Every structure is written in C-alpha cells, then in structure tokens.
Amino acid sequence: MDSNHLYMKILFNYRQGFLLLALTLTLACKSQEEECQLDEKILAVPIDFNIERLEDRFYTASAIEEINYLLEEYPDFTDKYLQVELYDSKAELAEALLEINQDSLMQELFQEVKQEFSDFQAIERQLRDAFAYIKYYFPEFKVPKVYTYLSGFGNDLLITEDLIVIGLDYYLPKTHRFQPPELPQYMADRYERDFIVPMIVTAISSRYNQVDLSQNTLLAEMIFYGKAYHFTKVVLPCISDEYIIGYTTEEIAASYANEALIWSHFIENDLLFVTNPFEIRKYTGEAPSTDEISPDAPGRLGRWLGWNIVDDYRFNNELELDQLMAEKDAEKIFRRSGYKPRQ
C-alpha cells in the first residue's frame, strides 16, 4: 500500500476528525431543506397526472373474471409489465395471477404493503412536482401513466416514456421482515420510500442525457452520471443529496473532506482517460466501497466526482438545463468546468 493510499485510508477511518464538518453539512442541508421553496411558476405548468394503486385491484380480485377484466382495462400494464406475450394466451396469464393471489404469503405481503403505503399523498405530490419541473425545462416531455403494484420482488421499477410501474414491495423499510432476495445490503439500503421519486427522475434523465459514444473513457462515464445527478437535483431541488446518490450524510461529509485526496488519486494514476471497462467499473460501478482509494470510501466515487464537475461546468458557463443535457462532449465539459476540489 503506497503512502498516499494509506493516508487516505487513515482519513476515511478517522471519523472523529470530520465530526464538525459532518455536523456543519448536516445542519446546512437541513436548513436548506427547511428554507427550500419550489418555483411556483414551474409548478403552474399544467399536467394531467395521478397514481393508480393497481395492487389494491389485482390482489383483491377473487375470480378469474375479475382478473380478465383488469387485464383488459389496463392494456399497457398487461403488455409492458405483466408481459402477456410470454404466455400462450391472456387466459393463461389470468390463471397465473389468480394463483398468485391465492398464495397465503403473497396475501400477507400485500397486507404489509397496504399498511406501509396507506398514505401515498406525499410521494404523489413529489412526483407531480417533478413532472412539472421536467415539462418546464423540456416541453416535449409527455407525462406518463403511473401505477403502483405488488411485484412479489420481481420488478422494482418499470419506466418507459408512457408508463411507470412502482413495485412497492421493494420499498418497504429496511428493517421490515420482507426484503428483496439476493440484493446486497449496500444496495438494499437505498430501497426505501424516500428513494422512489429520485430513482424515477434519475432514470428519466437518460432520455435527455446526450453522449458521444466514441468517448468511452472513465471521464465520460463520470460525466454521464454527473449530468444524471445534476438533472435530478434541478428537478427535485428540495431533496437531500443522500437520496439522489445513495450516500449517507456521513459519507457525503467524508467525501467532501477528502475531495482533494480523491481527486489526486485520479490524476496521479492517470485514470480519467482509461478505457478498460473493468477499471472504469471500479470507480463507477455498484460496490460497497471504492477499495482502490480506501476500503472505507463509499462506492461509485467516480460518479460523485462527475457530479461535482458537472455542477461547476453549468455554474461557470451559465447554461440552461437543456443545454447541459444536450452537450455530448464529456472532455469539453471537464475542460470548461474549472473544477477544483473544495478545500
């Protein structure tokens, strides 16, 4: 282990040294959230939107005729989410759904989801506001239909241009006895109620996130994610960063406190323009930590750095959101960002 790596490991381990910074950032974030005001002009953008709770309809159906009726009433859900084409007939799908409904464990899970998400108004309002913001910046945006459902841990989110389906069972509290199977804990921690809308908005950002496919470097990957997170923050200005990137408040504070050392690791190891996908994955792929920097550093630090670079690029060049998302040249964004680690 080289001396710089050891130094960074010590810094990440030495949490007490960041207590004041973490407290300051936490208080600042809370103060910002308390003072945050959504733009009334943007919220006035007319949109047609509501959420339909399909788990209530499907999981209370007790006869094949009821299931058949629902499959006909929601053809988009039947085709895109239930994937009726995988069955020999729609009747076979209906029979499979009725069998699931009659499973005692699925009915137990349904009751748990129904209780946990009995009040969905805050999420519905947050999503409505997000759609208004997206349509304000991108007038061509078409507000999709939004359904909730009980997936049996089969699908967390389905997002297309016309349809969004939220698998509510994935978003039960992490302390709940029902948890997604085979999902690493560091990822499962991000599957809670407060992450639903940021996950949706980040996914939608990919429609507008233009890229130059010839730029297949780590830097290009960092900038891609940086634009996605920046988009999400603009659309959800009152949402804490932790729900956008999936870091804890402590991890965010420690990352800022070590930003200069993190950046020096990328520069001294000539990482920005590497094209090896395995090397890129070490810094942007899902992982519990970025071991190359420190076992105690949070994973996906390349994405976090990319977010900082993109923030600086838009601020220093006074760009509109649509202009930022349309810029394909990651190297140009980096060069013109004026990015420097915060001291």
Side-chain angles (χ1 to χ4, degrees), residues 104-155:
S104 59
L105 192 59
M106 287 300 296
Q107 280 297 322
E108 190 176 351
L109 179 58
F110 169 58
Q111 293 303 323
E112 295 290 326
V113 166
K114 188 173 182 179
Q115 179 177 346
E116 182 65 33
F117 294 100
S118 60
D119 184 357
F120 213 65
Q121 290 185 355
I123 293 176
E124 184 165 0
R125 181 170 59 252
Q126 192 180 75
L127 198 53
R128 177 188 297 275
D129 293 345
F131 287 161
Y133 264 73
I134 295 172
K135 194 162 186 64
Y136 175 81
Y137 288 106
F138 300 91
E140 71 277 16
F141 172 69
K142 179 183 176 182
V143 176
K145 293 180 181 178
V146 180
Y147 303 134
T148 63
Y149 193 61
L150 176 63
S151 74
F153 296 112
N155 196 340

Short mmCIF file of all heavy atoms in Angstrom, two decimals, residues 104-155:
data_model
loop_
_atom_site.label_atom_id
_atom_site.label_comp_id
_atom_site.label_asym_id
_atom_site.label_seq_id
_atom_site.Cartn_x
_atom_site.Cartn_y
_atom_site.Cartn_z
N SER A 104 -50.91 -17.65 0.27
CA SER A 104 -51.05 -17.02 1.59
C SER A 104 -49.90 -16.05 1.87
O SER A 104 -50.12 -14.99 2.48
CB SER A 104 -51.11 -18.08 2.68
OG SER A 104 -49.95 -18.89 2.67
N LEU A 105 -48.69 -16.37 1.42
CA LEU A 105 -47.55 -15.50 1.67
C LEU A 105 -47.68 -14.20 0.88
O LEU A 105 -47.35 -13.12 1.39
CB LEU A 105 -46.24 -16.21 1.31
CG LEU A 105 -44.95 -15.52 1.79
CD1 LEU A 105 -44.94 -15.38 3.31
CD2 LEU A 105 -43.73 -16.29 1.31
N MET A 106 -48.19 -14.30 -0.37
CA MET A 106 -48.39 -13.09 -1.17
C MET A 106 -49.49 -12.23 -0.57
O MET A 106 -49.38 -10.99 -0.58
CB MET A 106 -48.73 -13.47 -2.61
CG MET A 106 -47.54 -14.00 -3.40
SD MET A 106 -46.18 -12.80 -3.53
CE MET A 106 -46.96 -11.50 -4.47
N GLN A 107 -50.52 -12.83 -0.04
CA GLN A 107 -51.56 -12.06 0.62
C GLN A 107 -51.03 -11.38 1.88
O GLN A 107 -51.41 -10.24 2.19
CB GLN A 107 -52.75 -12.95 0.95
CG GLN A 107 -53.68 -13.22 -0.23
CD GLN A 107 -54.33 -11.95 -0.76
OE1 GLN A 107 -54.71 -11.05 0.00
NE2 GLN A 107 -54.48 -11.86 -2.08
N GLU A 108 -50.13 -12.05 2.57
CA GLU A 108 -49.51 -11.45 3.75
C GLU A 108 -48.64 -10.26 3.35
O GLU A 108 -48.68 -9.20 3.99
CB GLU A 108 -48.66 -12.50 4.47
CG GLU A 108 -48.16 -12.07 5.84
CD GLU A 108 -47.41 -13.18 6.54
OE1 GLU A 108 -47.44 -14.33 6.06
OE2 GLU A 108 -46.78 -12.89 7.58
N LEU A 109 -47.88 -10.43 2.28
CA LEU A 109 -47.05 -9.33 1.78
C LEU A 109 -47.94 -8.18 1.31
O LEU A 109 -47.62 -7.00 1.56
CB LEU A 109 -46.19 -9.83 0.61
CG LEU A 109 -45.28 -8.80 -0.06
CD1 LEU A 109 -44.31 -8.16 0.92
CD2 LEU A 109 -44.51 -9.46 -1.22
N PHE A 110 -49.05 -8.49 0.67
CA PHE A 110 -49.98 -7.45 0.23
C PHE A 110 -50.50 -6.63 1.41
O PHE A 110 -50.55 -5.39 1.35
CB PHE A 110 -51.15 -8.09 -0.52
CG PHE A 110 -52.29 -7.16 -0.79
CD1 PHE A 110 -52.12 -5.99 -1.50
CD2 PHE A 110 -53.57 -7.45 -0.30
CE1 PHE A 110 -53.18 -5.13 -1.74
CE2 PHE A 110 -54.63 -6.60 -0.54
CZ PHE A 110 -54.44 -5.42 -1.26
N GLN A 111 -50.86 -7.29 2.49
CA GLN A 111 -51.36 -6.58 3.67
C GLN A 111 -50.27 -5.68 4.28
O GLN A 111 -50.57 -4.58 4.73
CB GLN A 111 -51.87 -7.58 4.71
CG GLN A 111 -53.11 -8.35 4.29
CD GLN A 111 -54.28 -7.43 3.93
OE1 GLN A 111 -54.49 -6.38 4.55
NE2 GLN A 111 -55.05 -7.84 2.91
N GLU A 112 -49.03 -6.16 4.25
CA GLU A 112 -47.93 -5.35 4.78
C GLU A 112 -47.70 -4.11 3.92
O GLU A 112 -47.48 -3.01 4.43
CB GLU A 112 -46.65 -6.19 4.85
CG GLU A 112 -46.70 -7.35 5.82
CD GLU A 112 -46.72 -6.89 7.27
OE1 GLU A 112 -46.09 -5.87 7.57
OE2 GLU A 112 -47.37 -7.55 8.10
N VAL A 113 -47.73 -4.30 2.61
CA VAL A 113 -47.55 -3.17 1.69
C VAL A 113 -48.71 -2.19 1.82
O VAL A 113 -48.52 -0.96 1.83
CB VAL A 113 -47.43 -3.68 0.24
CG1 VAL A 113 -47.60 -2.53 -0.76
CG2 VAL A 113 -46.08 -4.35 0.03
N LYS A 114 -49.91 -2.72 1.93
CA LYS A 114 -51.09 -1.86 2.06
C LYS A 114 -51.01 -1.01 3.32
O LYS A 114 -51.36 0.17 3.30
CB LYS A 114 -52.34 -2.75 2.10
CG LYS A 114 -53.65 -1.98 2.03
CD LYS A 114 -54.83 -2.94 1.90
CE LYS A 114 -56.15 -2.17 1.79
NZ LYS A 114 -57.31 -3.08 1.63
N GLN A 115 -50.52 -1.61 4.40
CA GLN A 115 -50.39 -0.85 5.65
C GLN A 115 -49.28 0.18 5.57
O GLN A 115 -49.45 1.34 5.97
CB GLN A 115 -50.11 -1.82 6.81
CG GLN A 115 -49.94 -1.13 8.15
CD GLN A 115 -49.73 -2.12 9.29
OE1 GLN A 115 -49.96 -3.32 9.13
NE2 GLN A 115 -49.29 -1.63 10.43
N GLU A 116 -48.13 -0.21 5.02
CA GLU A 116 -46.97 0.69 4.97
C GLU A 116 -47.21 1.86 4.02
O GLU A 116 -46.76 2.98 4.28
CB GLU A 116 -45.73 -0.09 4.52
CG GLU A 116 -44.46 0.73 4.47
CD GLU A 116 -44.02 1.23 5.84
OE1 GLU A 116 -44.26 0.52 6.85
OE2 GLU A 116 -43.46 2.34 5.91
N PHE A 117 -47.94 1.62 2.94
CA PHE A 117 -48.15 2.67 1.94
C PHE A 117 -49.62 3.08 1.87
O PHE A 117 -50.13 3.43 0.81
CB PHE A 117 -47.67 2.18 0.56
CG PHE A 117 -46.19 1.96 0.48
CD1 PHE A 117 -45.66 0.69 0.60
CD2 PHE A 117 -45.33 3.03 0.32
CE1 PHE A 117 -44.30 0.47 0.53
CE2 PHE A 117 -43.96 2.84 0.24
CZ PHE A 117 -43.44 1.56 0.36
N SER A 118 -50.28 3.08 3.02
CA SER A 118 -51.68 3.50 3.05
C SER A 118 -51.81 4.97 2.67
O SER A 118 -52.79 5.37 2.04
CB SER A 118 -52.26 3.26 4.45
OG SER A 118 -51.53 3.99 5.42
N ASP A 119 -50.83 5.77 3.02
CA ASP A 119 -50.81 7.18 2.66
C ASP A 119 -49.71 7.40 1.63
O ASP A 119 -48.52 7.32 1.94
CB ASP A 119 -50.56 8.05 3.90
CG ASP A 119 -50.63 9.54 3.58
OD1 ASP A 119 -50.82 9.89 2.39
OD2 ASP A 119 -50.48 10.35 4.51
N PHE A 120 -50.11 7.66 0.41
CA PHE A 120 -49.16 7.83 -0.69
C PHE A 120 -49.16 9.26 -1.21
O PHE A 120 -48.55 9.55 -2.24
CB PHE A 120 -49.52 6.86 -1.82
CG PHE A 120 -48.34 6.34 -2.58
CD1 PHE A 120 -47.39 5.54 -1.98
CD2 PHE A 120 -48.18 6.64 -3.93
CE1 PHE A 120 -46.30 5.05 -2.69
CE2 PHE A 120 -47.10 6.15 -4.65
CZ PHE A 120 -46.17 5.36 -4.03
N GLN A 121 -49.83 10.15 -0.49
CA GLN A 121 -50.02 11.51 -1.00
C GLN A 121 -48.72 12.28 -1.15
O GLN A 121 -48.54 13.03 -2.12
CB GLN A 121 -50.97 12.27 -0.07
CG GLN A 121 -52.41 11.78 -0.13
CD GLN A 121 -53.34 12.61 0.70
OE1 GLN A 121 -52.92 13.53 1.41
NE2 GLN A 121 -54.63 12.31 0.65
N ALA A 122 -47.79 12.11 -0.21
CA ALA A 122 -46.53 12.87 -0.28
C ALA A 122 -45.73 12.46 -1.51
O ALA A 122 -45.18 13.32 -2.21
CB ALA A 122 -45.71 12.65 0.99
N ILE A 123 -45.68 11.17 -1.79
CA ILE A 123 -44.95 10.70 -2.98
C ILE A 123 -45.65 11.16 -4.24
O ILE A 123 -45.01 11.60 -5.20
CB ILE A 123 -44.81 9.17 -2.94
CG1 ILE A 123 -43.91 8.75 -1.78
CG2 ILE A 123 -44.25 8.64 -4.27
CD1 ILE A 123 -43.79 7.26 -1.59
N GLU A 124 -46.97 11.09 -4.25
CA GLU A 124 -47.72 11.54 -5.43
C GLU A 124 -47.49 13.03 -5.69
O GLU A 124 -47.28 13.45 -6.83
CB GLU A 124 -49.21 11.26 -5.25
CG GLU A 124 -50.04 11.59 -6.48
CD GLU A 124 -51.43 10.99 -6.42
OE1 GLU A 124 -51.75 10.31 -5.43
OE2 GLU A 124 -52.19 11.21 -7.39
N ARG A 125 -47.49 13.83 -4.63
CA ARG A 125 -47.26 15.27 -4.79
C ARG A 125 -45.83 15.54 -5.26
O ARG A 125 -45.60 16.38 -6.14
CB ARG A 125 -47.51 15.97 -3.46
CG ARG A 125 -47.33 17.50 -3.52
CD ARG A 125 -47.82 18.16 -2.25
NE ARG A 125 -47.13 17.66 -1.07
CZ ARG A 125 -47.68 16.85 -0.15
NH1 ARG A 125 -48.93 16.45 -0.30
NH2 ARG A 125 -46.99 16.45 0.89
N GLN A 126 -44.87 14.82 -4.69
CA GLN A 126 -43.47 14.98 -5.09
C GLN A 126 -43.26 14.61 -6.55
O GLN A 126 -42.55 15.32 -7.28
CB GLN A 126 -42.60 14.11 -4.19
CG GLN A 126 -41.11 14.39 -4.28
CD GLN A 126 -40.34 13.48 -3.34
OE1 GLN A 126 -40.16 12.29 -3.60
NE2 GLN A 126 -39.87 14.03 -2.23
N LEU A 127 -43.92 13.56 -6.99
CA LEU A 127 -43.78 13.13 -8.38
C LEU A 127 -44.49 14.10 -9.32
O LEU A 127 -43.98 14.41 -10.41
CB LEU A 127 -44.35 11.72 -8.54
CG LEU A 127 -43.94 10.92 -9.77
CD1 LEU A 127 -42.44 10.87 -9.93
CD2 LEU A 127 -44.51 9.52 -9.71
N ARG A 128 -45.64 14.61 -8.90
CA ARG A 128 -46.34 15.60 -9.71
C ARG A 128 -45.47 16.85 -9.90
O ARG A 128 -45.34 17.37 -11.02
CB ARG A 128 -47.66 15.99 -9.04
CG ARG A 128 -48.43 17.08 -9.79
CD ARG A 128 -49.63 17.57 -8.97
NE ARG A 128 -50.57 16.48 -8.74
CZ ARG A 128 -51.52 16.14 -9.61
NH1 ARG A 128 -51.64 16.79 -10.75
NH2 ARG A 128 -52.35 15.15 -9.33
N ASP A 129 -44.85 17.31 -8.80
CA ASP A 129 -43.97 18.48 -8.89
C ASP A 129 -42.77 18.19 -9.80
O ASP A 129 -42.36 19.05 -10.58
CB ASP A 129 -43.48 18.87 -7.50
CG ASP A 129 -44.59 19.38 -6.59
OD1 ASP A 129 -45.68 19.70 -7.12
OD2 ASP A 129 -44.39 19.46 -5.37
N ALA A 130 -42.23 16.99 -9.69
CA ALA A 130 -41.08 16.63 -10.53
C ALA A 130 -41.46 16.65 -12.00
O ALA A 130 -40.70 17.16 -12.85
CB ALA A 130 -40.57 15.24 -10.13
N PHE A 131 -42.63 16.11 -12.33
CA PHE A 131 -43.08 16.11 -13.72
C PHE A 131 -43.29 17.54 -14.23
O PHE A 131 -43.00 17.84 -15.40
CB PHE A 131 -44.36 15.30 -13.87
CG PHE A 131 -44.17 13.81 -13.75
CD1 PHE A 131 -45.26 12.99 -13.47
CD2 PHE A 131 -42.93 13.24 -13.92
CE1 PHE A 131 -45.09 11.61 -13.38
CE2 PHE A 131 -42.75 11.86 -13.81
CZ PHE A 131 -43.84 11.05 -13.54
N ALA A 132 -43.78 18.42 -13.36
CA ALA A 132 -43.96 19.82 -13.76
C ALA A 132 -42.61 20.45 -14.07
O ALA A 132 -42.46 21.20 -15.06
CB ALA A 132 -44.68 20.59 -12.65
N TYR A 133 -41.61 20.15 -13.25
CA TYR A 133 -40.26 20.69 -13.47
C TYR A 133 -39.68 20.16 -14.78
O TYR A 133 -39.08 20.92 -15.56
CB TYR A 133 -39.34 20.33 -12.30
CG TYR A 133 -39.23 21.42 -11.25
CD1 TYR A 133 -40.29 21.69 -10.39
CD2 TYR A 133 -38.07 22.17 -11.13
CE1 TYR A 133 -40.20 22.69 -9.42
CE2 TYR A 133 -37.95 23.17 -10.16
CZ TYR A 133 -39.02 23.43 -9.31
OH TYR A 133 -38.91 24.42 -8.37
N ILE A 134 -39.84 18.86 -15.03
CA ILE A 134 -39.30 18.29 -16.26
C ILE A 134 -39.97 18.91 -17.47
O ILE A 134 -39.32 19.28 -18.45
CB ILE A 134 -39.47 16.75 -16.27
CG1 ILE A 134 -38.65 16.11 -15.16
CG2 ILE A 134 -39.05 16.19 -17.63
CD1 ILE A 134 -38.90 14.62 -14.99
N LYS A 135 -41.29 19.07 -17.41
CA LYS A 135 -42.02 19.64 -18.55
C LYS A 135 -41.66 21.11 -18.75
O LYS A 135 -41.67 21.61 -19.88
CB LYS A 135 -43.53 19.47 -18.35
CG LYS A 135 -44.32 19.73 -19.63
CD LYS A 135 -45.71 19.14 -19.54
CE LYS A 135 -46.46 19.27 -20.87
NZ LYS A 135 -45.81 18.50 -21.96
N TYR A 136 -41.33 21.80 -17.66
CA TYR A 136 -40.92 23.20 -17.78
C TYR A 136 -39.62 23.30 -18.58
O TYR A 136 -39.49 24.15 -19.47
CB TYR A 136 -40.75 23.81 -16.40
CG TYR A 136 -40.21 25.22 -16.39
CD1 TYR A 136 -41.05 26.30 -16.63
CD2 TYR A 136 -38.85 25.47 -16.18
CE1 TYR A 136 -40.56 27.61 -16.63
CE2 TYR A 136 -38.35 26.76 -16.18
CZ TYR A 136 -39.20 27.82 -16.41
OH TYR A 136 -38.71 29.11 -16.41
N TYR A 137 -38.65 22.46 -18.25
CA TYR A 137 -37.35 22.51 -18.92
C TYR A 137 -37.37 21.79 -20.27
O TYR A 137 -36.58 22.12 -21.16
CB TYR A 137 -36.28 21.89 -18.02
CG TYR A 137 -35.92 22.76 -16.82
CD1 TYR A 137 -36.35 22.42 -15.55
CD2 TYR A 137 -35.16 23.91 -16.98
CE1 TYR A 137 -36.03 23.22 -14.45
CE2 TYR A 137 -34.84 24.71 -15.90
CZ TYR A 137 -35.28 24.36 -14.63
OH TYR A 137 -34.95 25.15 -13.55
N PHE A 138 -38.25 20.81 -20.40
CA PHE A 138 -38.34 20.02 -21.64
C PHE A 138 -39.81 19.92 -22.04
O PHE A 138 -40.50 18.95 -21.70
CB PHE A 138 -37.74 18.63 -21.42
CG PHE A 138 -36.29 18.64 -21.02
CD1 PHE A 138 -35.94 18.67 -19.67
CD2 PHE A 138 -35.28 18.67 -21.97
CE1 PHE A 138 -34.61 18.71 -19.29
CE2 PHE A 138 -33.95 18.70 -21.60
CZ PHE A 138 -33.62 18.73 -20.25
N PRO A 139 -40.33 20.92 -22.74
CA PRO A 139 -41.77 20.99 -23.05
C PRO A 139 -42.30 19.77 -23.80
O PRO A 139 -43.50 19.48 -23.74
CB PRO A 139 -41.88 22.26 -23.91
CG PRO A 139 -40.69 23.09 -23.50
CD PRO A 139 -39.60 22.11 -23.20
N GLU A 140 -41.42 19.05 -24.48
CA GLU A 140 -41.87 17.88 -25.23
C GLU A 140 -42.14 16.68 -24.32
O GLU A 140 -42.69 15.66 -24.77
CB GLU A 140 -40.82 17.49 -26.28
CG GLU A 140 -39.53 16.89 -25.74
CD GLU A 140 -38.50 17.93 -25.28
OE1 GLU A 140 -38.88 19.11 -25.10
OE2 GLU A 140 -37.33 17.55 -25.10
N PHE A 141 -41.78 16.78 -23.05
CA PHE A 141 -41.97 15.67 -22.10
C PHE A 141 -43.45 15.33 -21.98
O PHE A 141 -44.30 16.18 -21.78
CB PHE A 141 -41.42 16.06 -20.73
CG PHE A 141 -41.72 15.05 -19.63
CD1 PHE A 141 -41.12 13.81 -19.63
CD2 PHE A 141 -42.60 15.37 -18.60
CE1 PHE A 141 -41.39 12.89 -18.63
CE2 PHE A 141 -42.87 14.47 -17.59
CZ PHE A 141 -42.27 13.22 -17.61
N LYS A 142 -43.73 14.05 -22.15
CA LYS A 142 -45.09 13.55 -22.01
C LYS A 142 -45.24 12.87 -20.66
O LYS A 142 -44.51 11.93 -20.34
CB LYS A 142 -45.40 12.55 -23.13
CG LYS A 142 -46.80 11.95 -23.06
CD LYS A 142 -47.00 10.91 -24.16
CE LYS A 142 -48.36 10.24 -24.03
NZ LYS A 142 -48.55 9.18 -25.08
N VAL A 143 -46.17 13.36 -19.84
CA VAL A 143 -46.36 12.80 -18.51
C VAL A 143 -46.88 11.37 -18.65
O VAL A 143 -47.92 11.13 -19.28
CB VAL A 143 -47.36 13.65 -17.69
CG1 VAL A 143 -47.62 12.99 -16.34
CG2 VAL A 143 -46.80 15.06 -17.51
N PRO A 144 -46.18 10.40 -18.09
CA PRO A 144 -46.60 9.00 -18.24
C PRO A 144 -47.71 8.62 -17.27
O PRO A 144 -47.95 9.30 -16.27
CB PRO A 144 -45.31 8.23 -17.91
CG PRO A 144 -44.62 9.11 -16.91
CD PRO A 144 -44.93 10.53 -17.32
N LYS A 145 -48.35 7.52 -17.56
CA LYS A 145 -49.25 6.92 -16.58
C LYS A 145 -48.38 6.32 -15.48
O LYS A 145 -47.30 5.78 -15.75
CB LYS A 145 -50.10 5.83 -17.22
CG LYS A 145 -51.10 6.33 -18.24
CD LYS A 145 -51.90 5.16 -18.81
CE LYS A 145 -52.90 5.62 -19.86
NZ LYS A 145 -53.64 4.47 -20.44
N VAL A 146 -48.85 6.39 -14.24
CA VAL A 146 -48.10 5.85 -13.12
C VAL A 146 -48.98 4.90 -12.32
O VAL A 146 -50.08 5.27 -11.89
CB VAL A 146 -47.56 6.96 -12.19
CG1 VAL A 146 -46.76 6.36 -11.03
CG2 VAL A 146 -46.68 7.94 -12.98
N TYR A 147 -48.50 3.68 -12.18
CA TYR A 147 -49.21 2.67 -11.40
C TYR A 147 -48.30 2.19 -10.26
O TYR A 147 -47.07 2.19 -10.39
CB TYR A 147 -49.55 1.44 -12.25
CG TYR A 147 -50.38 1.71 -13.47
CD1 TYR A 147 -50.04 1.14 -14.70
CD2 TYR A 147 -51.51 2.51 -13.42
CE1 TYR A 147 -50.81 1.36 -15.83
CE2 TYR A 147 -52.29 2.74 -14.54
CZ TYR A 147 -51.92 2.17 -15.76
OH TYR A 147 -52.69 2.39 -16.87
N THR A 148 -48.90 1.79 -9.14
CA THR A 148 -48.18 1.03 -8.13
C THR A 148 -48.67 -0.41 -8.20
O THR A 148 -49.79 -0.68 -8.67
CB THR A 148 -48.39 1.59 -6.72
OG1 THR A 148 -49.78 1.47 -6.36
CG2 THR A 148 -47.95 3.04 -6.63
N TYR A 149 -47.81 -1.31 -7.73
CA TYR A 149 -48.17 -2.73 -7.82
C TYR A 149 -47.38 -3.50 -6.78
O TYR A 149 -46.40 -2.99 -6.21
CB TYR A 149 -47.86 -3.26 -9.22
CG TYR A 149 -48.48 -4.62 -9.52
CD1 TYR A 149 -49.85 -4.80 -9.51
CD2 TYR A 149 -47.67 -5.70 -9.83
CE1 TYR A 149 -50.42 -6.04 -9.79
CE2 TYR A 149 -48.23 -6.95 -10.11
CZ TYR A 149 -49.60 -7.11 -10.09
OH TYR A 149 -50.15 -8.33 -10.37
N LEU A 150 -47.80 -4.72 -6.54
CA LEU A 150 -47.08 -5.65 -5.68
C LEU A 150 -46.42 -6.68 -6.59
O LEU A 150 -47.11 -7.53 -7.17
CB LEU A 150 -48.05 -6.33 -4.70
CG LEU A 150 -47.47 -7.40 -3.79
CD1 LEU A 150 -46.42 -6.81 -2.86
CD2 LEU A 150 -48.58 -8.06 -2.98
N SER A 151 -45.11 -6.60 -6.73
CA SER A 151 -44.42 -7.39 -7.75
C SER A 151 -44.00 -8.77 -7.27
O SER A 151 -43.56 -9.58 -8.09
CB SER A 151 -43.18 -6.64 -8.23
OG SER A 151 -42.16 -6.69 -7.23
N GLY A 152 -44.09 -9.03 -5.98
CA GLY A 152 -43.54 -10.28 -5.45
C GLY A 152 -42.03 -10.30 -5.60
O GLY A 152 -41.42 -11.35 -5.82
N PHE A 153 -41.41 -9.13 -5.47
CA PHE A 153 -39.97 -8.92 -5.63
C PHE A 153 -39.50 -9.39 -7.01
O PHE A 153 -38.44 -10.00 -7.15
CB PHE A 153 -39.19 -9.63 -4.51
CG PHE A 153 -39.48 -9.07 -3.15
CD1 PHE A 153 -40.17 -9.83 -2.22
CD2 PHE A 153 -39.11 -7.79 -2.82
CE1 PHE A 153 -40.47 -9.31 -0.97
CE2 PHE A 153 -39.39 -7.25 -1.58
CZ PHE A 153 -40.08 -8.02 -0.64
N GLY A 154 -40.32 -9.08 -8.01
CA GLY A 154 -39.96 -9.42 -9.37
C GLY A 154 -39.45 -8.24 -10.17
O GLY A 154 -38.64 -8.40 -11.09
N ASN A 155 -39.91 -7.03 -9.83
CA ASN A 155 -39.51 -5.84 -10.60
C ASN A 155 -39.70 -4.61 -9.73
O ASN A 155 -40.81 -4.32 -9.29
CB ASN A 155 -40.36 -5.73 -11.88
CG ASN A 155 -39.75 -4.78 -12.89
OD1 ASN A 155 -38.93 -3.94 -12.55
ND2 ASN A 155 -40.15 -4.92 -14.14
#
